[in-house]
């Protein structure tokens, strides 16, 4: 069975500082990993994905994430946070085997960037 | 290029009534997914459909819930005889045919309130 853990309900960071939002996963096959962001009363917006290849993937709005197979982690990072980055962030995993399409989401981490 | 369109955005029903939620996928997308989000929780997979076929309904409650994606027209999530516990945000996502490495794109959701 697939599962995702986001151990922090909330992350607080000052504007201009680096940010990290943590995610660990469990899946039987190869992991397909995704990060999404959700603003109030909106749907999820895709930020980035890891399927294969380089462990460091770059995505939208200056975000990046590092895949670590040994630690089964896929932490989201940004070198310099903006107040406008404040939102709810979800990590999701899909089993890469054929026939598995559903995404399993973590419970989300609220990012609060203070001016 | 329009994104995933869901309507209505807000739906209020009394206990025992029926709720119909609609989803039009992005142009060129033939895979549709429905997820449910309870307050302060992540998204939970409900069902995965392709045109005229239900592929995976492992997340659907056994009773009162059904989904379809007809040859023509939007995908419909139908909830019969609604109860208070059905109150949630329901999100539809779509992805193109072929590779499962493609991200799912989400609509802004339908917020269902049961009186």
């Amino acid at each position: 069975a697939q599962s995702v853990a986001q151990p922090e309900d909330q992350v607080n960071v000052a504007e201009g500082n680096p940010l990290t939002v943590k995610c660990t996963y469990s899946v039987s096959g190869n992991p397909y990993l995704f990060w999404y962001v959700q603003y109030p009363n909106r749907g999820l917006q895709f930020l980035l994905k890891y399927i294969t290849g380089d462990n460091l993937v770059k995505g939208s709005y200056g975000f990046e994430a590092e895949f670590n197979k040994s630690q089964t982690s896929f932490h989201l990072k940004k070198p310099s946070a903006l107040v406008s980055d404040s939102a709810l962030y979800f990590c999701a995993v899909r089993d890469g085997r054929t026939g598995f399409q559903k995404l399993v989401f973590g419970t989300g981490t609220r990012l609060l960037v203070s001016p | 290029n329009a994104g995933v369109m869901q309507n209505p955005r807000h739906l209020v029903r009394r206990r025992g009534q029926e709720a119909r939620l609609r989803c039009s996928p992005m142009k060129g997308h033939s895979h549709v997914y429905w997820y449910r989000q309870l307050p302060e929780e992540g998204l939970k997979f409900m069902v995965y459909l392709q045109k005229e076929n239900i592929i995976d309904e492992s997340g659907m409650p056994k009773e009162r819930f059904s989904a379809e994606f007809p040859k023509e027209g939007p995908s419909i999530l139908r909830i019969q005889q609604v109860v208070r516990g059905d109150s949630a945000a329901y999100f539809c996502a779509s992805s193109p045919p072929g590779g499962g490495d493609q991200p799912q794109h989400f609509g802004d959701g339908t917020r269902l309130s049961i009186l």
Side-chain angles (χ1 to χ4, degrees), chain A residues 74-94:
Chain A
F74 189 56
H75 301 331
L76 182 70
K77 300 173 185 285
K78 187 173 182 181
S80 178
L82 299 173
V83 172
S84 56
D85 292 331
S86 298
L88 191 56
Y89 290 80
F90 289 99
C91 180
V93 68
R94 215 210 94 197

Side-chain angles (χ1 to χ4, degrees), chain A residues 37-55:
Chain A
V37 59
Q38 185 180 33
Y39 295 97
N41 298 314
R42 300 296 303 274
L44 276 66
Q45 295 180 31
F46 168 71
L47 281 179
L48 51 79
K49 66 179 181 181
Y50 171 83
I51 304 300
T52 186
D54 289 341
N55 290 340

Side-chain angles (χ1 to χ4, degrees), chain B residues 77-97:
Chain B
L77 179 67
R78 182 182 178 204
I79 311 172
Q80 295 178 289
Q81 299 175 333
V82 296
V83 301
R84 288 254 171 87
D86 297 332
S87 295
Y90 291 83
F91 290 95
C92 172
S94 71
S95 67

Side-chain angles (χ1 to χ4, degrees), chain A residues 2 15 19-20 31 44-45 81 85 89 102:
Chain A
Q2 304 151 241
E15 188 174 34
L19 68 87
T20 299
L44 276 66
Q45 295 180 31
D85 292 331
Y89 290 80
K102 69 180 183 183

Side-chain angles (χ1 to χ4, degrees), chain B residues 25 34 54 57 66 94 98 108:
Chain B
W34 286 93
I54 297 174
E57 56 182 347
S66 62
S94 71
D108 283 339

